[in-house]
Amino acid sequence: MTPNARAAALMTLGMAAFACEDALLKLLSRGISIGQLLVVLGLGGMAIFGAWVARSPGGLRWRDLIHPGVVLRNLAEGVCAICFLTALSIGDLSIASAILQALPLLMTLGAAVVLGEPVGWRRWTSIAVGFAGVILIVRPGTDAFQPGSILALIAVVALAVRDLVTRRLPVQIGSGLLTASAFGAMAVAGAVLVVIGGQPMVVPGPAEAGMMAVSLAFGLLGYMTMVIATRIGEIGAIAPFRYSRLVFAIILGVLVFGERPDGWTLAGAGIIAGAGGYAMWREARLRGRTRRRRPAGSLTRPG
């Protein structure tokens, strides 16, 4: 297999793992509060990635955690965790997952508006088309509208803020530390819901404890395979495979939760996937073209 083919297979595996994690969390939310789930999963992920970072050559750089960008990134991570998990618990898995796929479009918009990166008419068009797909799914003011859709939209905005901030962080702040601190932010967000929101803490049964462990394992598997895929493959080649998460989510929604996404929802999901995939492919192509044209030793940032 070529590197791009291996990367595509790993990306698809990672997206399947994320979809399974979402499905398990939705099931768990029926008997365990959102706050408790975030506390347990956040502490578990923080412990695993923290131990990995501690054993790395650079070790734990605690002072990096108080960098304003890291603090803002973790705040966005906490908001996203609360909103998306709540959206999963009160709405359809397929709809929440479809809305989540608008992230690349919002990232492109944020990079243009906030960071001042150049965006051509093709990507502006893909953004407009993709957001039209979001409207088809959400359909505010109709009987098909689900309150959880608003929470999913807020989660996407928080994810975009997180990723835009990440682009501006110093290179010496490692991705392992960022991931461990992000899980810690999830745990803090869950604790806030438990203490301030009055959400109860219960002792999970063996089945629920096992499901939480498997859910965390799926999340870690998804993260690791996605990272490996982006390192060994070209972004433009593997970008479309990120949307396989939506396919897996729809299948799980139908088989596990008896969801029946209507034609408008499926059409909107397809539009978002197509527009987002094109935007990611176009950006990767432009960045590759800029790198090839850049003179040796040039420090100019790609557009």
Side-chain angles (χ1 to χ4, degrees):
M1 296 177 67
T2 65
N4 281 342
R6 291 197 299 272
L10 286 170
M11 182 64 74
T12 303
L13 175 61
M15 295 304 104
F18 281 136
C20 291
E21 178 192 25
D22 291 342
L24 285 172
L25 290 175
K26 182 174 176 63
L27 287 171
L28 285 166
S29 66
R30 294 174 174 177
I32 300 177
S33 69
I34 303 299
Q36 182 173 351
L37 286 174
L38 290 177
V39 168
V40 172
L41 296 177
L43 290 178
M46 183 179 66
I48 292 172
F49 277 99
W52 172 56
V53 175
R55 294 175 62 87
S56 65
L60 287 170
R61 296 164 51 95
W62 295 105
R63 62 184 179 274
D64 289 341
L65 295 177
I66 61 174
H67 186 283
V70 176
V71 174
L72 179 57
R73 186 184 189 277
N74 287 337
L75 178 61
E77 190 79 52
V79 171
C80 172
I82 291 174
C83 292
F84 188 68
L85 189 49
T86 305
L88 284 176
S89 67
I90 66 176
D92 288 353
L93 171 64
S94 55
I95 289 180
S97 298
I99 294 173
L100 191 67
Q101 304 312 307
L103 176 60
L105 299 170
L106 199 58
M107 278 290 296
T108 302
L109 177 63
V113 175
V114 179
L115 303 182
E117 296 184 5
V119 174
W121 67 270
R122 294 179 180 86
R123 281 186 288 168
W124 279 118
T125 302
S126 69
I127 291 172
V129 171
F131 286 143
V134 172
I135 295 299
L136 284 179
I137 294 174
V138 177
R139 279 170 284 172
T142 69
D143 294 338
F145 172 74
Q146 295 184 6
S149 299
I150 301 300
L151 292 172
L153 285 171
I154 296 174
V156 174
V157 173
L159 280 176
V161 171
R162 180 201 68 181
D163 291 347
L164 289 171
V165 170
T166 303
R167 288 190 179 188
R168 288 295 183 261
L169 289 177
V171 295
Q172 66 266 23
I173 301 179
S175 58
L177 179 64
L178 289 177
T179 303
S181 65
F183 274 105
M186 288 174 52
V188 171
V192 169
L193 289 181
V194 170
V195 176
I196 299 180
Q199 294 193 359
M201 295 281 284
V202 299
V203 178
E208 291 173 323
M211 288 172 64
M212 283 192 283
V214 173
S215 176
L216 178 60
F218 273 130
L220 296 176
L221 174 63
Y223 175 81
M224 295 304 297
T225 52
M226 185 175 65
V227 169
I228 296 172
T230 54
R231 285 181 175 176
I232 68 174
E234 298 175 4
I235 298 298
I238 64 177
F241 294 92
R242 293 178 64 98
Y243 290 92
S244 61
R245 177 175 182 171
L246 177 56
V247 177
F248 293 120
I250 291 175
I251 293 173
L252 289 171
V254 171
L255 296 179
V256 178
F257 302 104
E259 298 175 3
R260 293 294 182 267
D262 58 21
W264 290 109
T265 299
L266 294 175
I271 290 172
I272 293 173
Y278 175 79
M280 295 172 66
W281 171 82
R282 181 69 181 172
E283 180 176 357
R285 183 179 181 184
L286 291 175
R287 288 182 179 274
R289 185 184 301 170
T290 301
R291 285 194 295 268
R292 288 193 296 270
R293 292 178 178 177
R294 188 183 306 162
S298 172
L299 296 179
T300 304
R301 292 181 61 84

